[in-house]
Each structure stands twice: as C-alpha cells, then as structure tokens.
Amino acid sequence: MIVFLGGIGMLETAAFAAVDHGLGRPAAFVRVMASIQGAGSALGGLISGTVIRRLGDIGTSCVGYGLVAVGLLLCVPRDVALFLVGTTLIGAGPPFVAVLLGAAVHLYAPARMQGRVNAAVNTAKDGAQPLSLTAGAALIGVLDYRVMYLVMTVTTVACAVSLLVRSIPAPEVVPSVADAPADEGPAPGAAPAREPDSGAPAGEPRVE
C-alpha cells in the first residue's frame, strides 16, 4: 500500500499535463476529470465490501490494483473517451485497498495498540504521497506525462504481483470484548472493563 501510494502520487502532476498537452483541453476540464474520479471512488467504496467477502484480502487488493493499472493505461492514448474511462477506474481502485487496510488495523492490532498502529499507518501513508507528488513535479519538466503514467502502471502491477507470488499467512484476529457473549466475561486478551466512577472524593465511602 505504501509503495502504491508512493508511486500514484505522481498522478496529481501528470494528470494536469495529460489534460493540457495530451488532450488539448482547457484547465476547466480538470474539474470534469476530478468529478468522474470521485464517482469512481464512490462506486468502489460501495462494492468493496461484497468483493472482500467473495475474494478475501489478497484477491480484493489485486482487484483494486488491477483497476488502477488498467485505468492508467487507458489514460496514455490521446483520446478523451478512453481517458475518462481510465479516470473512473483510477478512482474505483484505491477504495478496495483502503477499506482492507482500515479493517486490518482493527482486526489484527490489540485494542490497547490500535491508536498507535493507526497513527503509524497514517503517518506512513501521509508521508509517501507528498514525496511522490514532489517527485512528480520535478519529473514532469523532463519526462513526457505518458512515461509517468507507464511508470505508475508498472509500480501498481508490481504491488499486485508481490501479493500473488508471496505466501502470506493469514494473521490471527485479536479477540475483542464484543466477541464475548453477554453472560460471560470479556474475551481472552481483552482489556478489563473499568469500574464506573461514583464521583465520591478520595477517602470517603462510595454510595451504593
């Protein structure tokens, strides 16, 4: 995911060059592109849950990466229709991976560690994209935007292939208080519940 974000960040710069130099459209066309990409993201978010239930984590991640890779390739030819279809796919792909990543933090990190794990994940994500955006701004002056799209495509495909060729054991889901029946105690490994505060000052008996 971090490698993917580190590569796809160049899209912010390459897309402007594609609209201006590739399609010969005015700057206002960027709004059209952004709207279509947003619609693709909404669609991807709506169906991601169904895809996860049917394909599992690895399969869903590969679907997300595959959609983005195909979308990037469709943006290379100087054709408006293909570009808009590609933009839709680029928007639809990332939600599949983002939903999985968010769920993994809650499923596989202990309750007492979830805040720190989530902060670490967000820091890595938020750090990768600005670096890629900076690299894209520097490279657009020396590289054709189509080359940048191809580089992003290769990076995205590499992320999907890395999931398919490596044998990744399924992590163990961390027990949660919500998993324990109401008439039993908390699930093994769950943090003990805190006693309610009666509001009585220290040293005075608590009113029952």
Side-chain angles (χ1 to χ4, degrees), residues 88-135:
T88 305
L89 296 179
I90 292 172
F96 290 90
V97 185
V99 168
L100 284 172
L101 184 61
V105 171
H106 296 284
L107 287 175
Y108 308 130
R112 65 183 182 278
M113 296 289 293
Q114 284 187 7
R116 280 169 280 184
V117 172
N118 192 52
V121 170
N122 287 335
T123 300
K125 289 194 306 181
D126 295 342
Q129 222 164 355
L131 291 176
S132 179
L133 180 61
T134 302

Side-chain angles (χ1 to χ4, degrees), residues 4 6 35 62 67 81 102 118-119 124 126 139-140 149 151 175 181 183 185 190 200 204:
F4 168 69
S35 299
C62 291
L67 289 173
N118 192 52
D126 295 342
L139 291 174
I140 196 63
Y149 270 91
V151 170
D183 56 348
E204 293 187 10

Side-chain angles (χ1 to χ4, degrees), residues 40-61 63-64 67 91-103:
S41 297
L43 178 61
L46 288 174
I47 66 175
S48 60
T50 302
V51 177
I52 292 171
R53 285 192 296 270
R54 294 190 176 185
L55 301 181
D57 293 356
I58 301 298
T60 303
S61 296
V63 168
L67 289 173
F96 290 90
V97 185
V99 168
L100 284 172
L101 184 61

Side-chain angles (χ1 to χ4, degrees), residues 58 160-171:
I58 301 298
V161 172
S162 68
L163 295 176
L164 295 174
V165 299
R166 291 187 302 167
S167 178
I168 303 176

